[in-house]
Structure formats: structure tokens, C-alpha cells
Amino acid sequence: MRTTYRPGGTRYVAYGSCVALVAMSVAVTLALPQDIRAQVTLSQALTLYGSIAVFLVILHGIGRSRVTVGDDELEVVNGFRTHHVPWSRVRGFAFGEGAPWPTLVTVDDDRLMLFALQGSSGHGRVRDAVDDLVRRVP
């Protein structure tokens, strides 16, 4: 059985910000008088829209974070990095009071942040998810 955890509010804010940013950029571009738009050089326009594109990519990375729990392994996606951690390598999980997200601790004492389980989504909800993960540790 596979269970996937994704950030709630964080994901909505990330993708909502993408939509708002694109909508505002288009609205401002179209609202500028033609004589002002004519003064904008190609390099200025590329810099502005390139910066917006980078911001959209960063927000997408935040929004796509997830933790997928399988019988054999955990798949942790933080931004654009994917980690496959077999249960045999998991020592435990740390999630202190006030922590922004839990941390997976491996038998090698490596630490992997679980960005998909945002403490801001409700500490009780995240605590339930962490308790589920802890029960699966061999």
C-alpha cells in the first residue's frame, strides 16, 4: 500500500502565486501605453521575464514536494531532487515542537528534510503523518 503526503497550504500558495504573478505581468504589460512599451529594450524585457520565469520554477519546486510511503521504501521529493530511501536505512524521524517540517534520520546519521510535511499545515495533521511513518520503521 502506498501513501503520498503533499503540502497543503504551501502548495496552494506556491501555485496561486504563479498564477497571480503571470496575470499581473500580462495585465501591466498590456496596460502600459504604447509609447512607454516602445522605450523598453529587448534586453530589459528578457531580464524581467527571465526573472519571472526563474521565480515560477522555484515556486513549482516548492509545490511539487511530496513524500510517498511504500512497503519497501520512502520516496522523498524536495524541490527538484528525488531521494529513494529503503526502510532498512531509516533509523527514525525527528519532529520537534515548533519545527517547520520533520526530518528523516538514516542509519548513517544522514538527515533528510521532509518538506512535504509542513508544520504550518497544522501540527496535529503532520504529527499524525509522522506517527504513521514511525510505526513503519523496522
Side-chain angles (χ1 to χ4, degrees):
M1 179 176 147
R2 293 176 65 85
T3 305
T4 299
Y5 297 104
R6 295 181 179 273
T10 306
R11 195 164 94 172
Y12 298 131
V13 168
Y15 288 123
S17 297
C18 287
V19 170
L21 185 60
V22 169
M24 287 188 309
S25 300
V26 170
V28 167
T29 299
L30 296 177
L32 286 174
Q34 182 58 37
D35 60 319
I36 302 250
R37 273 193 272 168
Q39 295 177 21
V40 177
T41 66
L42 178 62
S43 65
Q44 290 171 331
L46 289 176
T47 300
L48 174 64
Y49 292 116
S51 299
I52 290 171
V54 168
F55 191 63
L56 294 175
V57 168
I58 291 168
L59 287 171
H60 175 62
I62 292 168
R64 72 185 297 269
S65 297
R66 71 176 185 276
V67 174
T68 302
V69 182
D71 293 332
D72 299 329
E73 71 175 6
L74 286 167
E75 179 185 23
V76 179
V77 178
N78 289 335
F80 294 100
R81 293 193 66 197
T82 301
H83 307 271
H84 296 275
V85 183
W87 281 108
S88 60
R89 288 199 55 233
V90 175
R91 178 187 297 165
F93 298 89
F95 186 46
E97 191 66 36
W101 44 73
T103 304
L104 179 150
V105 182
T106 68
V107 293
D108 302 328
D109 207 33
D110 290 333
R111 312 241 171 200
L112 181 61
M113 306 301 174
L114 304 178
F115 294 133
L117 297 170
Q118 293 284 317
S120 61
S121 297
H123 199 77
R125 181 180 156 278
V126 176
R127 175 58 62 199
D128 291 344
V130 171
D131 289 344
D132 175 48
L133 293 171
V134 168
R135 281 191 294 273
R136 296 174 186 248
V137 175

